[in-house]
Amino acid sequence: MIIEPRMRGFICTTSHPKGCEQNVKNQIEYIQSKGNINGAKKVLVIGASTGFGLASRITSAFGSNAATIGVFFEKAPSEGKTASPGWYNSAAFENEAHKAGLYAKSINGDAFSNEIKKQTLDLIKADLGQIDLIIYSLASPVRVHPVTGVMHRSVLKPIGSTFTNKTVDFHSGKVSEISIEPCSGDDIENTIAVMGGEDWAMWIDALKAENLLAPGATTVAYSYIGPSLTEAVYRKGTIGRAKDHLEATAFAITDSLADIDGKAFVSVNKALVTQASSAIPVIPLYISLLYKIMKEEGIHEGCIEQIQRLYQERLYTGNDVPVDEKGRIRIDDLEMRPDVQEKVAKLWIEAVTENLSEIGDLEGYRKDFYNLFGFDVQGVDYKADANEVVNIESIG
């Protein structure tokens, strides 16, 4: 079938298998061009199919020749209906890994559930024995708690007072003002339950209980801080409380792994176009301005560049991992450079519908958004028929 992007609000409801495949190949080529990383050899990536999780899996496999197990929750294709992009990404990754002689298997299901944890642990026992590196990169808005059975939904809201600021509809380029009402009731607790560190700790506890963590094992979860512009709705809002919990969990996990000399870190990463960030008011406008400045400065990075630098310059240097005063790895260092943030703040004041295409990089934002779904990828013939039914080798 001919596959075209179909939009519903901030979501694209179709994805292109060939475009997703090309995206994965491009990321693999980038990692191979940067040379070998003396990293972990047996890696579990929880949330492995898109964004930073996919980039972590690619970097481990093609930077360090690692065996990888990827856990994700994606929609499989059916005749006449495309899969979610993460399905096609994972199929392409496994295909390329197997061609390169690398072990790669995937598990599709709810990573919050006890069933998927058990399935993953059984696979590690059968195939790998022990794991050296666990990447935790889940980005779900909902979690059914595996013990209580309660369904928790996260919300992105300020705490205490209404937040009003500019935003942009990245499809039309229209800049407008938006107000977000403050959280109420159990919003904070629910957001922490979904996006905090409890599930990360549950994974590590389960692995340790079965003796599946190698001596000196490392685990990394991904987070974001962002600028003062978005602070009220993000870092000082409900999501921020969840991120605080995630960061506190890193210290608790490190304590629990002391007997195997294991360590847990939170890596604070750069603002990038993701399915989640596209739906957050204010963020698309901030990213459009940020991209323009970082590209002009020659310091712009996507997911794969970020994770390659995280591995090469932070995790696997042969020295202690450098962290900030709160124990976090900062790979958002280029985004948060004072000169970059000063320029963003200045452009923010000036930004209106009429000038955004000049002072911002709305085109770059749109391209990255469509790329997430396998569209607008260079070298792909979108007029050609594409087979939407693609299998993931280890899932079938």
Side-chain angles (χ1 to χ4, degrees):
M1 58 193 258
I2 304 292
I3 302 170
E4 296 177 334
R6 280 197 216 125
M7 297 304 304
R8 192 175 66 227
F10 294 109
I11 304 270
C12 186
T13 60
T14 52
S15 59
H16 201 287
K18 287 293 177 192
C20 290
E21 179 185 34
Q22 190 58 51
N23 258 337
V24 169
K25 286 180 175 177
N26 292 347
Q27 291 183 63
I28 290 169
E29 278 175 27
Y30 176 79
I31 291 301
Q32 290 174 327
S33 77
K34 301 299 279 187
N36 185 57
I37 298 167
N38 188 22
K41 297 300 181 195
K42 295 176 181 179
V43 178
L44 170 64
V45 183
I46 303 157
S49 53
T50 59
F52 288 119
L54 175 64
S56 303
R57 197 174 187 192
I58 290 169
T59 304
S60 291
F62 292 92
S64 302
N65 292 315
T68 62
I69 292 173
V71 180
F72 46 78
F73 203 2
E74 297 292 348
K75 185 187 80 175
S78 57
E79 202 160 317
K81 286 194 172 175
T82 64
S84 52
W87 179 276
Y88 292 138
N89 291 339
S90 301
F93 169 82
E94 270 200 23
N95 193 33
E96 294 302 313
H98 295 156
K99 274 200 270 183
L102 296 167
Y103 173 98
K105 287 190 180 178
S106 304
I107 291 173
N108 190 36
D110 179 6
F112 293 130
S113 71
N114 290 332
E115 292 75 16
I116 290 299
K117 287 183 177 71
K118 183 179 184 309
Q119 201 179 322
T120 307
L121 268 53
D122 288 346
L123 182 59
I124 294 167
K125 274 182 214 169
D127 289 6
L128 300 183
Q130 288 186 319
I131 294 289
D132 310 310
L133 174 66
I134 306 96
I135 297 292
Y136 188 84
S137 185
L138 284 191
S140 169
V142 177
R143 176 186 178 214
V144 175
H145 198 284
V147 178
T148 64
V150 172
M151 180 182 279
H152 299 278
R153 290 186 184 278
S154 65
V155 296
L156 184 117
K157 290 184 178 179
I159 296 170
S161 58
T162 302
F163 172 77
T164 302
N165 213 321
K166 292 179 183 178
T167 192
V168 65
D169 178 329
F170 64 89
H171 296 302
S172 67
K174 185 182 177 189
V175 177
S176 60
E177 194 170 85
I178 190 162
S179 292
I180 307 169
E181 294 301 312
C183 64
S184 59
D186 296 332
D187 283 348
I188 294 172
E189 291 77 9
N190 279 317
T191 304
I192 291 170
V194 178
M195 302 185 72
E198 184 185 32
D199 183 65
W200 183 24
M202 284 178 162
W203 271 99
I204 302 305
D205 288 346
L207 289 159
K208 186 165 188 265
E210 297 291 333
N211 193 30
L212 298 177
L213 295 178
T218 299
T219 181
V220 182
Y222 295 139
S223 187
Y224 180 64
I225 292 176
S228 55
L229 276 170
T230 62
E231 197 173 64
V233 74
Y234 200 91
R235 196 62 206 206
K236 287 189 175 171
T238 50
I239 299 280
R241 291 289 179 88
K243 298 299 186 185
D244 291 343
H245 187 275
L246 185 77
E247 289 165 17
T249 302
F251 291 103
I253 292 174
T254 295
D255 288 345
S256 76
L257 299 182
D259 59 331
I260 63 162
D261 196 28
K263 288 195 169 58
F265 296 100
V266 165
S267 174
V268 180
N269 298 356
K270 171 183 183 274
L272 286 168
V273 179
T274 63
Q275 290 180 58
S277 71
S278 300
I280 301 172
V282 184
I283 298 286
L285 179 57
Y286 168 71
I287 290 178
S288 298
L289 300 174
L290 178 73
Y291 271 26
K292 178 84 167 181
I293 291 156
M294 293 189 79
K295 285 176 181 178
E296 283 173 356
E297 295 282 337
I299 54 172
H300 176 69
E301 293 172 318
C303 285
I304 197 68
E305 291 87 359
Q306 277 264 288
I307 299 305
Q308 196 280 336
R309 192 158 66 89
L310 170 67
Y311 279 43
Q312 185 87 64
E313 298 181 13
R314 303 289 195 273
L315 291 176
Y316 299 113
T317 63
N319 302 311
D320 287 344
V321 176
V323 293
D324 69 5
E325 73 286 351
K326 292 191 176 177
R328 304 171 297 205
I329 301 170
R330 300 301 294 268
I331 211 76
D332 65 339
D333 49 341
L334 302 177
E335 173 188 355
M336 299 311 294
R337 254 175 40 181
D339 62 316
V340 170
Q341 286 302 318
E342 277 168 28
K343 286 175 183 169
V344 173
K346 185 170 176 289
L347 291 178
W348 185 272
I349 295 164
E350 298 170 12
V352 290
T353 305
E354 291 71 27
N355 68 7
L356 185 58
S357 59
E358 292 160 43
I359 69 168
D361 185 23
L362 201 55
E363 217 30 68
Y365 188 102
R366 284 195 197 109
K367 184 173 174 58
D368 277 11
F369 178 82
Y370 282 109
N371 280 181
L372 292 174
F373 301 90
F375 296 107
D376 203 11
V377 178
Q378 205 168 350
V380 177
D381 181 1
Y382 291 100
K383 292 185 177 138
D385 270 323
N387 180 10
E388 73 280 14
V389 180
V390 175
N391 290 327
I392 297 173
E393 201 174 317
S394 66
I395 295 175

